[in-house]
Amino acid sequence: MIRSYKEMHQMSVMNLGDFWAAEAEKLHWFKPWERVLDDSNAPFFRWFPGGETNLCYNAVDRHALGDRGDKPAIIWESPEMGQSEVITFRELYQRVNRFSAVLKGKNVNKGDRVLIYMPMVPEAIIAVLACARIGAIHSVVFAGFSFESLADRINDSSPKMLICSDGSKRKGKVIHLKKIVDRALEAAKVKVPHVLVFDRGIDEWEPVVGRDLYWREEVENVGDVLVEPERMLATDPSYILYTSGTTGKPKGVVRDTGGYMVALHSSMTQIYGCGPDDVYWSTSDIGWVVGHSYIIYGPLLLGIPSVVFEGTPDNPNPGIWWDIVDKHRVTVLFSAPTGMRMLRKFPVHWIQDHDLSSLRHIFLAGEPLDEPTYQWVTETLNKPVIDHYWQTESGWPMITNHMGIETLPFNPGSPTKEAMGWHLDVVDENGEPVPAGERGFLVAHPPLPPGTLQTIWGDDQRYIDSYWSMFKRCGKDLYFSGDYAIKDEDGYFWLLGRADEVINVAGHRMGTREVEEVISSHPQVAEASAIGIDDEVKGQAIAAFVVLKEGVEETEALHKAIIDLIRDRIGPIATPKILNVVAQLPKTRSGKVMRRVLRALCEEKEMGDLSTIEDGASVDEIRNALKDMERKEG
Ligand code: AMP
């Protein structure tokens, strides 16, 4: 019997035990759970306590040893390297087993951390699945992050092994991954016993004797072996994924095993509407949460092929994504508005010259989907476009339309309504719901559904402080998403951007504090402020305002040095669009930088109330500096 969205959602919130038990029963458990939810230590919600399972067993063995062994599991396309590969579930099973034996042979065991700094190659996914198989906690670091970002993550997670490749390519340019790893390990306080290198013959590198290992050699040495999947408690951590917060230090979001597995598996059918014959492609990267959930685990848990893409949407030409959709008969595509805005710059024949009849719908997430982009994608592809909203913390969608339940009417600009198990609200600063149509803070009522973050690695207090403290002073237990939203009279949610100081560049999250701390660490800089400004393609871009130390002269070399510092410490994605040296920052009398003033100046918008500003001259100076910049550029 097909139920309505409303009925299903109500059940998932009001009768969550039965709802999630029914979903969990669709997967393999070595030992059944004792309870569906333990909320005795809120806000540390524990799903399926007592149950024993294994993510890799469910994502790989179940299909390889069942009737899907000959079906493709991974379809790898690398326009960067001019290579492609199709790996069946059976082959994946063999390769994951062998690599699990390599890890075990190097004394990597249950609970140990393994850091993965890899490009989009099948071996990265094999490494992730092997960790899950033996119960090691993987932490994938986006292979565009700098050596300092990597060193921070090494220090925080103390991995027993780091897996990388020699290099990768981006639009033909070599990225020296192993060299970045070497620098990170020199800078890190924590020593990592082994670095395992998947050598692609892209870049020269010097092995460190006794520490560095060759992937191929190690895999050959173990031969054809099987490694029993570890019986993991549902509540055991499966991975750590770092994300930006409002302070300089990234937060290691910890994910469990059983709850995550159940949530992802059910989202594949209920949200994405997938069945056994689907071909799923998420164009994201394994370094982000979307990559974890919907390049690796989601499709594989369902036993369907996942397209793994190493490249960019416009290389070798803007038709490349659609070549791949056409070639592999992709049925569900998941991307970000940024990717679509980038393609919009090119003539539509690059898309429309392909046979896209296999494609059923396109999901977009990661940043607000503006109406012009929504209209353009819908018209160009002539397919339903589903905006959905979620976060690294949630692990899977929080607000979405459900293609596998009941499709609700589309409302461009709104990602629709709550996903199963999510009970969301829009509240004022006292945690009281605001009237329909009014702006407020987007919050979730406890318990958070399965699959959501368990804590911050090594810092339970930070988990409470970051997500549960905002409304505590009014006696309310509410999870704060960090976003502003509106709930309209029909119950649709509309996202209005971050309420905290987090910027979203091309769907990637960065704390303004992170950028400011890096700029301020330059010996010639006195202070700095960074904000997010609207950007036509990337959604948001960074604008940074810098005050130099007394007597320091502004030069082009200094500009470049600051930009290089940001690229080195955080990565090229954090390169500011605007970097302006000013004599002073607009501050309140209490010394707080007035970011909204900076934002209004950059976006040429109304300045609002300036009565608390300490020195109005700072506003004129910045306005003039921005005008100067515009003159120079144009
Ligand atoms: P991340 O954890 O890096 O995936 O970033 C999550 C943040 O991206 C959310 O808190 C939102 O600010 C933003 N975001 C994600 N999806 C959407 C969406 N569909 N609409 C608006 N904002 C979104």
Side-chain angles (χ1 to χ4, degrees), residues 243 289 364-369 387-393 415 481 483 495 497-498 504 507-509:
T243 188
V289 69
L364 298 176
E367 54 186 309
L369 174 59
D387 178 15
H388 61 332
Y389 162 91
W390 50 299
Q391 320 180 291
T392 304
E393 289 84 350
S481 66
D483 286 298
L495 275 301
R498 299 288 302 193
N504 190 329
H508 307 316
R509 217 159 111 179

Side-chain angles (χ1 to χ4, degrees), residues 108 420 481 493 498 504 574 583 587:
V108 177
M420 296 299 127
S481 66
F493 288 86
R498 299 288 302 193
N504 190 329
K587 287 188 181 170

Side-chain angles (χ1 to χ4, degrees), residues 128-139:
V128 163
L129 292 167
C131 287
R133 186 171 197 84
I134 66 165
I137 301 170
H138 56 77
S139 182

